[in-house]
Amino acid sequence: RARHEVVMFAMDLGCHALAEHPELAQQLLDDDVEITACSNSSVGLELADGITRGSQDDHAAVVGTSNRVVALT
């Protein structure tokens, strides 16, 4: 299995999906996926421990330092 650093920034429905499926979020975290949720999109949501709340600055940092980017819009 190839080892790659995976970083995820979730917004809008992505934040809701992480909140609605905490077992999936925890599995991603256990697999060393770094997850940041948009703080505006995740207001009032309970997210798994280990998920960071961040801003578009965090999103830009992920995109700006990535070799490859997958965007699901």
Side-chain angles (χ1 to χ4, degrees), residues 4-25:
H4 299 281
E5 180 180 2
V6 177
V7 180
M8 183 173 140
F9 187 89
M11 294 175 59
D12 195 32
L13 293 177
C15 294
H16 289 272
L18 290 170
E20 292 169 9
H21 302 282
E23 69 287 344
L24 176 60

Side-chain angles (χ1 to χ4, degrees), residues 7-9 34-39 52-66:
V7 180
M8 183 173 140
F9 187 89
E34 180 183 325
I35 304 173
T36 302
C38 173
S39 59
T52 304
R53 292 175 194 255
S55 68
Q56 288 300 321
D57 287 336
D58 298 292
H59 184 221
V62 169
V63 172
T65 59
S66 297

Side-chain angles (χ1 to χ4, degrees), residues 17-56:
L18 290 170
E20 292 169 9
H21 302 282
E23 69 287 344
L24 176 60
Q26 190 59 56
Q27 183 61 54
L28 291 168
L29 292 166
D30 290 347
D31 287 340
D32 295 325
V33 175
E34 180 183 325
I35 304 173
T36 302
C38 173
S39 59
N40 287 333
S41 297
S42 59
V43 169
L45 298 179
E46 185 174 333
L47 299 173
D49 289 341
I51 296 178
T52 304
R53 292 175 194 255
S55 68
Q56 288 300 321

